[in-house]
Amino acid sequence: RLVLDRNAIASSHASIRRTCPNNLSAWNKKRWFSLPPHQLVGMPSLSPTMEAGQIAKWNKETGDTFQAGDVFCEIQTDKATVDFEAQDDGIIAKILTPAGSADVKCGDPIMVIVQEPDDVAAFQNYAVSSSSSSSSSSNIPVAEPTSATGVAAPPPVASPPSVASAATTAATTTTTTTTSAGKLIASPLAFKLAKELGKDISTIQGTGPGGRVLADDVKEYIPMVSTPNTATTTTILPERPIVPSPTILSVPALPVVGSGFVDYPLAPSAMESAARLTQAKRNIPHYYLTIDLKLDAMLQLRSSLTNTKSSSAASTTISLNDLLLKAAACAMKAVPEANASWMDTFVRVYDNVDINVVVNGGYTPLIRNVHQKGLVQIGTEFTTLLEKANEHTLEREDCAVGTFTVVNLGSYGIKSAAPIIFEPQACLLAFGAAENRIVPNTNSEDSIYQQAVMMTATLSCDHRVIDGAVGAQWLSAFKSHVENPNTLLL
């Protein structure tokens, strides 16, 4: 009799759907939008080949709050058991897939999250409709899993964008974070913060699973300042990536004195630089190589050249920094694989060596074609650019992005540093202080040790472009030019 009743009910429902499908659709739509703001979370894709998984254990329950980095549950794939970590803050309103559920397809809803504790009760009897399931499966979240032993698992490999799309993205000033269906993906907290801060969330590039906009993305987002003559875009890649310099000059507003503190407003150039450094640190897989350099031969050559300069170059003094820049340019010609940029779908290797030099104030003036210039010309250009930087008169073309960057922190007594690479460059060289050290004596049998002028140099590398072997070859070539400076004339 129970079966008959169920069949009767099912037949009745089918009859209702046939006679008034539009009314039912409107009712379902009204019921869906009557729910509080929430996020439907699907089964994440934890590997490139994963199609389904099993939830082995839930570490959170309905009503529990979570923060970024907390583990929602343990998911068993065909290869390993990995943790599904939270990318934002929120509250679990309902768990849709209990522990032990097997063969849950990637994208199928497994839980609902909200931002306010009072919204949890509204999802007590919530059930996933077919439309919600299909909508969730179209935007499968790609998590940042860690294995059960705490070791980070490699993220799935994303297909690179096309050349045309990469160029179009570089030519525009804003990016819209939407799916192919035009739906914005963002966490409830991100929507809330964007509204409070007055930011257009549709222009924020998401860093969460599937391009989802997180709260941190909203906090870190800095609207780009619109400039004239930027309406025209092109889909043809330029000869060199057109990237605004992080040192566009601008005068900040006056400080604001408060009760026990002082607020120093940032200039647009400083905000743009901060945003670009944050993006570079997030996007570039950095690694660092360090080497010690013996400077005695280079200092001796500098002293000799200074004493024998022609009268036409008497006003310019060749500095150690000029010699190091020349040595870096020669090393780039010896190992051209390092003089390159990551272009998403290919690696671009440059013929010329254009070096940005970081100076006081965070400015990065550019010296072009360093490999083709003599020491006097390099010193003259650098002195001119340094004077412009001190007077805040640098032009945009003076601070264009080159193929390589050098920063010398020796004047501050710093022994070594590992700075962030400037996109789209593939490496950056940092110098420490030149100091007297006791080192093994390899030139004489009378003494075991000797005093030498030494300096530590650190090369920050983009692992997508420069692997460890290429980075080591470049530093070896640079060390050879520094310790045998006569090779700079070859």
Side-chain angles (χ1 to χ4, degrees):
R1 183 175 180 78
L2 179 60
V3 174
L4 291 176
D5 290 343
R6 287 181 176 174
N7 290 338
I9 293 172
S11 177
S12 174
H13 284 180
S15 176
I16 293 173
R17 292 190 184 95
R18 287 193 299 270
T19 55
C20 52
N22 293 334
N23 292 339
L24 268 179
S25 177
W27 181 82
N28 284 332
K29 191 172 183 180
K30 179 178 179 181
R31 184 184 63 163
W32 173 265
F33 283 103
S34 65
L35 293 172
H38 63 282
Q39 180 76 28
L40 197 61
V41 180
M43 168 67 76
S45 177
L46 302 176
S47 70
T49 59
M50 178 178 171
E51 297 180 356
Q54 176 179 348
I55 299 179
K57 175 186 175 182
W58 279 99
N59 295 336
K60 297 288 184 180
E61 299 179 357
T62 299
D64 288 352
T65 60
F66 60 86
Q67 297 178 343
D70 290 351
V71 177
F72 285 128
C73 58
E74 297 177 4
I75 298 177
Q76 185 175 353
T77 68
D78 54 344
K79 296 182 180 179
T81 299
V82 295
D83 293 340
F84 181 20
E85 293 185 355
Q87 302 295 315
D88 214 333
D89 302 345
I91 304 170
I92 297 180
K94 187 172 184 179
I95 294 176
L96 303 174
T97 305
S101 301
D103 296 330
V104 181
K105 294 182 179 180
C106 294
D108 286 355
I110 61 174
M111 64 178 169
V112 180
I113 60 175
V114 295
Q115 198 60 42
E116 301 296 336
D118 297 338
D119 296 339
V120 175
F123 295 88
Q124 182 177 1
N125 300 321
Y126 177 81
V128 180
S129 63
S130 59
S131 60
S132 300
S133 179
S134 62
S135 174
S136 176
S137 61
S138 64
N139 301 303
I140 300 175
V142 180
E144 297 179 2
T146 57
S147 65
T149 58
V151 181
V157 179
S159 60
S162 63
V163 176
S165 63
T168 304
T169 303
T172 56
T173 57
T174 58
T175 303
T176 302
T177 308
T178 58
T179 64
S180 58
K183 179 182 177 182
L184 181 67
I185 308 175
S187 68
L189 181 57
F191 276 111
K192 182 179 179 182
L193 286 176
K195 184 176 181 181
E196 293 176 353
L197 298 176
K199 297 181 179 181
D200 184 2
I201 196 169
S202 64
T203 63
I204 301 176
Q205 180 68 37
T207 60
R212 181 175 174 226
V213 180
L214 306 178
D216 288 340
D217 298 329
V218 178
K219 295 176 183 177
E220 297 173 0
Y221 175 70
I222 299 174
M224 299 293 292
V225 180
S226 60
T227 57
N229 301 327
T230 57
T232 303
T233 60
T234 178
T235 58
I236 302 175
L237 282 173
E239 181 180 357
R240 179 167 298 173
I242 301 176
V243 179
S245 169
T247 57
I248 303 171
L249 300 183
S250 180
V251 179
L254 295 176
V256 178
V257 180
S259 178
F261 62 88
V262 179
D263 292 335
Y264 293 90
L266 296 175
S269 60
M271 291 188 289
E272 181 182 358
S273 177
R276 292 193 176 280
L277 287 174
T278 301
Q279 179 181 356
K281 187 63 176 178
R282 181 189 296 127
N283 294 344
I284 298 177
H286 287 69
Y287 77 96
Y288 310 96
L289 299 174
T290 301
I291 196 170
D292 288 329
L293 305 171
K294 188 176 180 182
L295 301 180
D296 294 84
M298 183 167 278
L299 292 174
Q300 184 177 358
L301 175 63
R302 173 183 175 271
S303 177
S304 176
L305 292 175
T306 301
N307 294 332
T308 58
K309 279 191 310 179
S310 63
S311 58
S312 61
S315 60
T316 302
T317 301
I318 297 175
S319 66
L320 177 62
N321 195 67
D322 301 333
L323 288 163
L324 292 173
L325 290 177
K326 183 65 176 180
C330 292
M332 279 296 181
K333 299 305 290 184
V335 187
E337 296 89 346
N339 194 39
S341 293
W342 176 260
M343 303 297 290
D344 288 334
T345 58
F346 57 91
V347 173
R348 175 173 292 170
V349 180
Y350 300 105
D351 297 329
N352 296 332
V353 181
D354 301 335
I355 300 180
N356 292 102
V357 184
V358 181
V359 297
N360 292 336
Y363 303 134
T364 55
L366 176 65
I367 303 177
R368 293 178 169 84
N369 301 321
V370 179
H371 62 294
Q372 298 177 350
K373 295 177 178 178
L375 294 173
V376 173
Q377 188 175 0
I378 293 173
T380 301
E381 289 189 21
F382 179 70
T383 301
T384 302
L385 292 170
L386 185 60
E387 291 175 354
K388 290 173 123 181
N390 293 333
E391 297 172 356
H392 304 286
T393 57
L394 285 170
E395 302 293 338
R396 180 179 288 269
E397 56 269 20
D398 294 330
C399 295
V401 176
T403 64
F404 182 58
T405 297
V406 169
V407 54
N408 193 338
L409 300 174
S411 60
Y412 300 98
I414 302 300
K415 184 174 183 180
S416 64
I420 300 173
I421 300 171
F422 291 149
E423 288 185 303
Q425 296 174 2
C427 54
L428 184 150
L429 184 64
F431 299 131
E435 57 186 3
N436 292 321
R437 302 180 194 172
I438 302 299
V439 297
N441 188 358
T442 59
N443 300 324
S444 175
E445 298 180 357
D446 298 335
S447 177
I448 301 177
Y449 299 103
Q450 65 175 345
Q451 179 175 288
V453 181
M454 303 292 294
M455 182 182 70
T456 300
T458 301
L459 185 69
S460 303
C461 302
D462 183 346
H463 210 301
R464 299 171 301 180
V465 181
I466 305 173
D467 59 23
V470 174
Q473 292 172 11
W474 191 93
L475 277 180
S476 177
F478 179 68
K479 179 182 176 70
S480 177
H481 287 304
V482 170
E483 297 186 351
N484 300 282
N486 292 331
T487 58
L488 301 177
L489 303 176
L490 300 178

